[in-house]
Amino acid sequence: QSVLRQPPSASGTPGQRVTISCSGTSPNIGRNTVNWYQQLPGTAPKLFIYSSNQRPSGVPDRFSGSKSGTTASLAISGLQSEDEADYYCATWDDSLDGWVFGGGTKLTVL
Amino acid sequence: QVQLQESGPGLVKPSQTLSLTCTVSGDSINRGNFYWSWIRQPAGKGLEWIGRIYTSGSTNYNPSLKSRVTISIDTSKNQFSLRLTSLTAADTAVYFCARALYVPDLWGQGTMVTVSS
């Protein structure tokens, strides 16, 4: 059971906009910024969003993040087939004194 | 550029101890204010943070694993290590090492560890 809750799956057609949610509580998302990772099969997670809404160099601006209260969201606009992957949210938890992850959302491009 | 590479046994027997090493190349492990973490992922499942160590040697561990985990650092070898005791099948996973300043931003490719007799 992951500390952060994500929908197990999401889908969209090419060109659509898709949003993935990440729900937490006060000690984690409520007090800290959220990060998002993209994981392709057989590879390590890659940081796609940090500090809730910042993109590392090289990440397309089709990807955006937001946070409100104890919920964070990852939005992907102009969906492309190459976006098909697993997406994980992560943040620091002040009560556990450690990093916590969501269970992951498998994004399918139909 | 900086790279991380995990190494260790791929198969360990139940009740035994797992020892993994992460070698940092391309820069000194001492440079910058980085934390060095271990994270694991059972097949088909999500990510679980195991713990982290700072270059000073201070550590934080996942409370659910704390009694079985030790993370250490050897700056002379540019390596940090994971020791996990009393293994069970539930510890079967891909183990990643990662670097973090404010967030784990650089990961190794991961190493598969199977716990089986």
Side-chain angles (χ1 to χ4, degrees):
Chain A
Q1 195 83 358
S2 300
V3 174
L4 306 179
R5 295 183 303 280
Q6 298 180 236
S9 63
S11 63
T13 56
Q16 270 191 330
R17 185 176 188 271
V18 172
T19 300
I20 298 172
S21 63
C22 175
S23 179
T25 56
S26 177
N28 43 68
I29 294 180
R31 296 181 199 162
N32 298 289
T33 59
V34 178
N35 312 289
W36 290 90
Y37 294 90
Q38 180 195 66
Q39 187 178 33
L40 299 173
T43 68
K46 178 183 176 183
L47 184 65
F48 254 54
I49 295 287
Y50 67 95
S51 297
S52 300
N53 57 14
Q54 301 298 304
R55 284 187 311 277
S57 173
V59 173
D61 59 7
R62 302 184 293 102
F63 290 82
S64 62
S66 63
K67 190 191 93 164
S68 178
T70 58
T71 300
S73 296
L74 173 69
I76 309 169
S77 59
L79 199 61
Q80 299 182 5
S81 58
E82 67 214 47
D83 300 333
E84 190 162 285
D86 293 326
Y87 292 87
Y88 292 90
C89 58
T91 189
W92 185 261
D93 189 296
D94 289 345
S95 290
L96 298 175
D97 206 21
W99 287 96
V100 291
F101 290 90
T105 298
K106 184 176 183 62
L107 175 63
T108 301
V109 181
L110 302 170
Chain B
Q1 74 275 24
V2 181
Q3 293 184 317
L4 282 65
Q5 178 67 58
E6 306 88 350
S7 59
L11 179 64
V12 190
K13 288 181 167 51
S15 79
Q16 290 190 339
T17 295
L18 170 67
S19 293
L20 295 176
T21 295
C22 182
T23 300
V24 180
S25 60
D27 201 358
S28 169
I29 201 170
N30 269 325
R31 189 191 302 275
N33 297 314
F34 294 110
Y35 286 91
W36 305 93
S37 288
W38 287 97
I39 297 160
R40 69 181 182 179
Q41 184 174 36
K45 296 188 178 181
L47 299 161
E48 180 180 37
W49 180 75
I50 299 171
R52 69 177 187 178
I53 189 166
Y54 192 56
T55 49
S56 65
S58 66
T59 54
N60 297 91
Y61 297 128
N62 185 324
S64 68
L65 298 169
K66 189 173 184 176
S67 63
R68 301 194 291 131
V69 173
T70 303
I71 297 176
S72 58
I73 192 165
D74 187 338
T75 56
S76 68
K77 295 182 179 179
N78 237 33
Q79 295 176 333
F80 64 105
S81 299
L82 168 70
R83 186 171 179 267
L84 183 64
T85 64
S86 304
L87 294 174
T88 70
D91 295 310
T92 295
V94 175
Y95 285 74
F96 297 98
C97 60
R99 181 193 74 176
L101 183 56
Y102 301 109
V103 54
D105 64 345
L106 183 65
W107 297 54
Q109 65 184 27
T111 186
M112 179 68 204
V113 174
T114 301
V115 180
S116 175
S117 56

